[in-house]
Amino acid sequence: MHLSGTHLGYKERYPNTYEHFNDTPKTKFQHERAYRFINEYDNSVRYNDYIINELLEQLKAQQTSSYMLYFSDHGDDVFDDYDNAGHSEDIGTNGMFEIPYITWVSPQFKEQLKLSVEVAKIENRKYLMDEFIHAFADLSQISFHALDKTKSIYYSTYVEKPRLIKGKIDYDAQKD
């Protein structure tokens, strides 16, 4: 499932009943457009979180062996480091590269899979979505010739690699 919940056009991503943020947000860009975009973005994130939670609660209610992964396709910089909202690899701020990645596993799935690493222990692992196919395959118990479990954050032999952005920049070395 691909949600468009926090893509540009933030105001169009949530119903009026979810308009919660309408204050003067903290930003170094002190103008009405920044305030409006930040509040609209925050409202869209709030609604997106509601949708994800509803899906998760429905999955939990089934009480089956299951898991749910959620991640965004990209981040946005919304008047954090750049006097604008959106994303562009040409600009490339941290907010544009960092995305949420959430894993939930049912107790039945956890027991069935016998994960080699506790899901809670993956929280701070540095990871690039370039290697997602290995994590997805590992979690889904799918095997293929090129599967490399050292690229799966769910496996005990996972090896962190430098997170390169724009093909050559070490993200963690340049990060504030």
Side-chain angles (χ1 to χ4, degrees):
M1 176 179 316
H2 180 109
L3 301 177
S4 63
T6 58
H7 283 83
L8 274 173
Y10 307 127
K11 176 73 174 153
E12 300 167 12
R13 308 294 178 214
Y14 56 92
N16 291 338
T17 56
Y18 272 79
E19 193 160 314
H20 177 79
F21 299 101
N22 59 9
D23 58 354
T24 303
K26 292 181 182 179
T27 178
K28 61 186 173 186
F29 305 104
Q30 304 290 313
H31 52 82
E32 188 56 39
R33 183 173 180 268
Y35 304 151
R36 180 173 48 84
F37 269 75
I38 292 169
N39 284 327
E40 290 173 358
Y41 177 75
D42 290 347
N43 286 324
S44 73
V45 169
R46 182 173 180 255
Y47 186 65
N48 192 75
D49 288 352
Y50 163 76
I51 297 296
I52 296 301
N53 186 64
E54 287 295 305
L55 292 169
L56 181 56
E57 290 304 317
Q58 288 178 25
L59 185 59
K60 284 180 181 179
Q62 293 179 12
Q63 298 183 348
T64 61
S65 179
S66 55
Y67 72 88
M68 184 172 116
L69 296 177
Y70 172 76
F71 54 90
S72 295
D73 55 342
H74 58 79
D76 273 1
D77 185 306
V78 185
F79 296 93
D80 289 322
D81 297 317
Y82 179 65
D83 191 16
N84 210 341
H87 64 279
S88 166
E89 286 194 23
D90 293 333
I91 299 164
T93 67
N94 289 348
M96 295 176 191
F97 289 110
E98 293 180 4
I99 62 168
Y101 184 99
I102 299 168
T103 304
W104 174 83
V105 297
S106 70
Q108 299 90 334
F109 185 82
K110 186 175 180 180
E111 178 61 31
Q112 173 191 348
L113 186 58
K114 299 196 183 328
L115 293 173
S116 66
V117 62
E118 287 294 317
V119 172
K121 292 182 181 178
I122 68 169
E123 278 184 9
N124 296 315
R125 287 183 166 180
K126 295 176 182 176
Y127 190 65
L128 270 175
M129 292 304 293
D130 295 4
E131 298 179 341
F132 173 71
I133 188 66
H134 301 280
F136 175 73
D138 188 24
L139 195 59
S140 301
Q141 301 174 15
I142 298 170
S143 183
F144 57 94
H145 179 68
L147 176 62
D148 182 349
K149 289 194 175 192
T150 67
K151 295 179 179 181
S152 168
I153 58 173
Y154 304 110
Y155 204 69
S156 60
T157 60
Y158 172 70
V159 177
E160 287 184 0
K161 294 185 342 188
R163 296 187 292 179
L164 300 180
I165 55 176
K166 299 184 179 184
K168 60 186 181 283
I169 301 169
D170 184 335
Y171 177 76
D172 297 299
Q174 64 85 38
K175 191 175 170 196
D176 296 333

